């Protein structure tokens, strides 16, 4: 059986045009997806039952035992951290917020290690964004800054920019100018019309120089800024000012280097400056599938987008203090529930060491690096494959995802629901 | 020799996010991409091992020649190997410095640890019943 218009559950592009072939409740072919989508849909690594760490190794346990362990762990903890949330759907994220509030814990998503700084910048100066559809149909200049879509979002360029014809661009490849700014000459840089290679840590200076030139103050800009010649910067500004509609996409090259949210703020202010001449927009390249959804769900439920601390009985937000990396590095939390992410692979060792010391439960379909640090892992159905739900695309558009095969395991929503119900019962609510 | 370390995504790393105990994940995330002229300066052949030392620790990786990089810069795909030496400091932003970190590189005869050995070194336990 072929299923059309399936939404991919891997990256923030949420491509919604995949074609999946299912035979006897197994996925046998994936069409239209990129290599990352194929690997996700064809994965056969799912755990069959919950596991618990013993002295020597691991043993299988029942769902009831695993859920009871999680309930006891959270209720016993003074400062529990509930982290991850990007790999799961919005409905499960909602229950996550309720659970965190009930135990007075901290809830944080993978935002804090991807576009957290972008959110801090947006809170300072706003977000002149737009949907990917507008970019596809209108943008005649596209800038990828500090990101490498061909490796991280493989279909971004073919669905929305370089290779995607739009309503006002009949031949996108010729009519759309693509500019790539990076410290490495990546595959993406090689297909661009202009490649700006900056020295590591030079983003802030180059953004400031571009702003000065747009303002007509190019004479204050030195001959070379962070390895980029003034003449190239002037050429870029002319290209941008002549554009009918320009779109900047930026990645972790801005958020992870020195300056962090100040780099992003400078990029937003460049967009502000350019919008005095033409129409320009800016969009963060959100990486992990529904990470944008975690920000939406957390914001409409608590008022804050990530790193929310309920220990005072009300929602409190202070990234740098209430964010997962800092809590773990300070060895402050005393229990951790991880869902839909793999901090074992993606957090610095100084944080991961603490995870190994405290009681940790992982809710994830497959064994990950974090499994090695956990006490219990509860396998679940995969959102978008054998679980349905809502996820947000990188431009903030919510998309309903269906299941394409019948589940054999409970989904995140069901597991969290029983954890929440049991906790309420224990608290006599 | 001093280098600037950047970490980031690659397609191969991405393909293995659900297959982290496979050899492919190990090979990709324990690679240190480096400019061919830097390889010569370090007296290294493509594929030989290199020790990368940051203020936070050291890790043995496999050097892979790559002309995308500027001389003086190395790239390690994100994963447990890069994170073994990344400082857990966020400058009060919540975000550690995953890019633009100063490191020292030297040729080594030592073998790489596996991703599981890295986890076990800090008190983890590999899951083997797959
Ligand atoms: S680009 Fe992203 S959303 Fe689209 S198919 Fe590839 S992994 Fe899936």
């Amino acid at each position: 059986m072929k299923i059309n218009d399936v939404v991919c559950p891997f990256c923030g592009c949420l491509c919604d045009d995949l074609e999946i072939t299912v035979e006897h409740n197994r996925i046998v072919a994936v069409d239209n997806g990129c290599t990352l989508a194929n690997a996700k849909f064809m994965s056969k690594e799912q755990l069959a039952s919950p596991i618990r760490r013993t002295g020597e190794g691991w043993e299988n346990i029942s769902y009831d035992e695993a859920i009871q362990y999680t309930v006891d762990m959270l209720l016993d903890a003074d400062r529990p951290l509930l982290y991850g949330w990007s790999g799961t759907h919005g409905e499960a994220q909602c229950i996550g917020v309720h659970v965190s509030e009930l135990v007075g814990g901290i809830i944080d998503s993978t935002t804090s290690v991807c576009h957290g700084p972008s959110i801090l910048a947006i809170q300072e100066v706003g977000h002149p964004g737009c949907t990917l559809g507008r970019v596809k149909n209108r943008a005649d200049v596209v800038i990828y800054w500090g990101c490498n879509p061909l490796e991280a979002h493989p279909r971004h360029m073919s669905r929305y920019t370089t290779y995607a014809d739009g309503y006002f661009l009949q031949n996108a490849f010729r009519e759309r100018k693509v500019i790539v700014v990076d410290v490495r000459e990546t595959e993406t840089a090689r297909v661009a019309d202009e490649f700006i290679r900056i020295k590591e840590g030079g983003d802030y200076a180059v953004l400031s120089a571009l702003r000065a030139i747009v303002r007509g103050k190019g004479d204050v800009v030195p001959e070379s800024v962070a390895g980029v010649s003034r003449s190239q910067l002037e050429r870029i500004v002319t290209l941008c000012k002549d554009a009918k509609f320009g779109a900047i996409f930026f990645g972790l090259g801005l958020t992870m280097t020195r300056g962090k949210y100040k780099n992003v703020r400078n990029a937003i202010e460049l967009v502000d400056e350019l919008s005095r001449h033409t129409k320009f927009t800016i969009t963060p390249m959100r990486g992990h599938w529904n990470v944008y959804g975690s920000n939406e769900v957390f914001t409409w439920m608590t008022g804050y987008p990530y790193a929310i601390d309920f220990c005072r009985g009300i929602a409190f937000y202070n990234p740098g203090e209430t964010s997962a990396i800092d809590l773990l590095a300070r060895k402050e939390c005393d229990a951790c529930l991880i869902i839909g992410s793999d901090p074992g692979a993606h957090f610095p060792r100084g944080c991961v060491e603490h995870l190994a010391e405290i009681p940790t439960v992982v809710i994830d379909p497959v064994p990950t690096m974090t499994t090695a640090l956990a006490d219990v892992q509860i396998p679940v159905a995969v959102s978008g494959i054998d679980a349905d739900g809502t996820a947000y695309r990188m431009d903030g558009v919510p998309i309903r995802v269906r299941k394409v095969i019948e589940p054999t395991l409970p989904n995140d929503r069901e597991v969290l629901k029983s954890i929440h119900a049991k906790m309420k019962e224990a608290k006599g609510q | 020799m001093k280098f600037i370390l950047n970490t980031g995504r690659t397609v191969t790393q991405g393909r293995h996010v659900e297959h982290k105990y496979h050899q492919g994940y190990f090979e990709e995330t324990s690679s240190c991409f480096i400019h061919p002229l830097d390889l010569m300066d370090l007296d290294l052949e493509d594929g030989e091992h290199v020790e990368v030392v940051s203020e936070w620790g050291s890790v043995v990786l496999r050097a892979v020649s790559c002309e995308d990089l500027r001389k003086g810069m190395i790239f390690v795909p994100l994963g447990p190997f890069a994170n073994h030496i990344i400082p857990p400091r966020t400058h009060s932003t919540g975000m550690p410095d995953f890019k633009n970190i100063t490191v020292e590189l030297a040729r080594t005869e030592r073998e790489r640890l596996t991703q599981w050995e890295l986890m076990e070194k800090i008190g983890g336990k590999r899951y083997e019943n797959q």
Side-chain angles (χ1 to χ4, degrees), chain A residues 10 35-36 39-40 43-45 47 51 53 55-58 60 112-115 117 120 148 150-152 154 183-187 190 197-201 226 252-253 255-258 260-261 288 306 319-320 323 325-326 329 342 344-353 356 366-369 371-373, chain B residues 4 6-22 25 28 33 54 56-58 66-75 78-100 114-116 118-130:
Chain A
F10 192 93
T35 160
L36 302 178
K40 176 93 186 176
S43 168
K44 307 227 173 357
E45 317 289 344
L47 285 169
I51 51 170
R53 188 172 163 181
E56 303 79 55
W58 296 86
N60 288 344
S112 62
V113 290
C114 66
H115 278 283
L120 297 180
N148 185 10
L150 282 182
E151 304 253 354
V183 294
R184 292 186 292 146
E185 189 177 354
T186 58
E187 207 52 50
R190 283 194 277 271
R197 183 176 219 156
I198 37 180
K199 280 210 182 104
E200 296 79 18
L252 306 184
T255 65
M256 285 182 173
T257 41
R258 225 179 79 200
K260 307 219 162 82
Y261 68 103
H288 194 165
Y306 67 106
S323 31
I325 295 284
D326 302 272
D342 186 9
H346 301 143
F347 276 14
R349 175 170 49 91
C351 304
V352 172
E353 277 168 347
V366 297
T368 63
M369 300 314 301
T371 306
L373 309 166
Chain B
I4 296 284
N6 273 320
T7 68
R9 285 187 190 283
T10 66
V11 160
T12 313
Q13 172 268 330
R15 261 207 326 263
H16 286 92
V17 290
E18 306 232 328
H19 310 76
K20 291 216 171 90
Y21 46 85
H22 285 200
Y25 185 71
E28 183 71 1
F33 293 92
S54 77
W56 197 257
S58 77
C66 174
E67 291 192 28
D68 295 356
L69 304 173
R70 202 199 286 271
K71 240 177 129 307
M73 173 187 163
I74 57 167
F75 178 82
L78 89 165
F81 291 87
N83 277 314
H84 204 69
I85 58 168
I86 284 176
R89 232 192 347 249
T90 77
H91 316 281
S92 300
T93 64
M95 168 70 88
D97 300 322
F98 284 116
K99 296 185 192 282
N100 208 0
T114 65
Q115 61 272 47
W116 298 114
L118 287 178
M119 292 295 128
E120 288 182 338
K121 229 174 122 178
I122 56 167
K125 181 83 197 157
R126 74 185 71 191
Y127 175 70
E128 272 180 324
N129 306 12
Q130 303 95 23

Side-chain angles (χ1 to χ4, degrees), chain A residues 106-117:
Chain A
I106 300 143
I107 187 162
D108 193 11
S109 77
T110 60
T111 307
S112 62
V113 290
C114 66
H115 278 283

